[in-house]
């Protein structure tokens, strides 16, 4: 394999680690700590600021994952012609890649809904109307999208390992 394949694969793996690690850190550390009474008055602002910062980096990472994913395929010996061939997508490798890409696309769509609508609106309402029913609904919806994305991330990693290890 060419050296640029290894560089691209390294960037791809580091990007996936950043995304998954960030989600796990958010779920396991940020959210539970923010629920402490000491943060009650500014919980929404705290979660919003951390979430926005993570979101900005995440969208850069998504771009890197797309670029390095294409680079990995092309430097692994596949051509653009292979990628538009029905035979490729019906093969074991193509079928696995197809599943991985569909989960990634779903994760991107859910991330966009979470990062650009539900998350900001829920955290704003946490500060403005912390006890309102719609605040609770939006927080719950944003939380579920985050959990679903975490599961999708694990599925993507599973399929990525299947591609690399057979």
């Amino acid at each position: 394999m060419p050296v640029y394949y290894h560089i691209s694969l390294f960037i791809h793996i580091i990007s996936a680690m950043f995304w998954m690690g960030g989600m796990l850190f958010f779920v396991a550390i940020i959210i539970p700590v923010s629920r402490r009474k000491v943060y009650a008055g500014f919980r929404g602002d705290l979660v919003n600021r951390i979430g926005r910062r993570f979101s900005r980096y995440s969208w850069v990472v998504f771009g890197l994952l797309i670029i390095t994913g294409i680079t990995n395929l092309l430097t692994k010996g596949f051509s653009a012609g292979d990628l538009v061939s029905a035979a490729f997508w019906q093969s074991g490798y193509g079928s696995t890649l197809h599943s991985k890409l569909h989960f990634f696309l779903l994760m991107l769509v859910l991330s966009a809904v979470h990062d650009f609508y539900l998350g900001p609106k829920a955290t704003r309402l946490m500060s403005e109307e912390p006890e309102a029913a719609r605040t609770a609904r939006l927080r719950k919806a944003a939380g579920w999208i985050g959990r679903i994305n975490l599961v999708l991330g694990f599925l993507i990693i599973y399929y990525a390992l299947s591609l690399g290890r057979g």
Side-chain angles (χ1 to χ4, degrees):
M1 293 282 163
V3 69
Y4 44 88
Y5 168 75
H6 291 107
I7 293 168
S8 178
L9 183 62
F10 177 78
I11 294 168
H12 198 78
I13 291 170
I14 295 297
S15 296
M17 287 171 52
F18 175 86
W19 167 241
M20 289 299 294
M23 284 198 305
L24 287 168
F25 186 77
F26 212 86
V27 168
I29 308 298
I30 303 294
I31 297 300
V33 167
S34 74
R35 289 186 179 136
R36 292 186 177 169
K37 288 183 182 181
V38 69
Y39 301 111
F42 57 94
R43 178 177 182 221
D45 187 51
L46 176 70
V47 172
N48 187 30
R49 287 174 188 262
I50 294 169
R52 276 195 330 231
R53 186 170 182 98
F54 180 64
S55 175
R56 274 184 253 136
Y57 285 106
S58 293
W59 285 97
V60 170
V61 164
F62 293 153
L64 286 172
L65 287 167
I66 292 167
I67 292 166
T68 56
I70 293 167
T71 302
N72 293 344
L73 279 173
L74 296 176
T75 57
K76 202 168 186 177
F78 296 104
S79 68
D82 292 328
L83 301 180
V84 295
S85 161
F88 170 79
W89 295 105
Q90 292 170 354
S91 70
Y93 189 91
S95 176
T96 302
L97 179 61
H98 182 266
S99 295
K100 179 185 174 196
L101 293 175
H102 273 84
F103 286 131
F104 182 73
L105 181 60
L106 179 57
M107 186 190 69
L108 285 178
V109 169
L110 290 175
S111 292
V113 170
H114 181 277
D115 293 356
F116 302 118
Y117 177 70
L118 280 177
K121 190 165 186 171
T123 55
R124 182 178 49 79
L125 288 174
M126 283 168 56
S127 295
E128 295 172 2
E129 304 171 28
E131 303 303 320
R134 72 179 178 156
T135 303
R137 280 193 311 273
L138 285 172
R139 280 183 48 213
K140 189 173 280 194
W144 274 107
I145 286 181
R147 289 180 192 101
I148 292 167
N149 263 353
L150 186 60
V151 170
L152 288 172
F154 285 123
L155 287 169
I156 292 165
I157 290 170
Y158 169 79
Y159 283 103
L161 290 172
S162 297
L163 289 173
R165 298 290 179 202

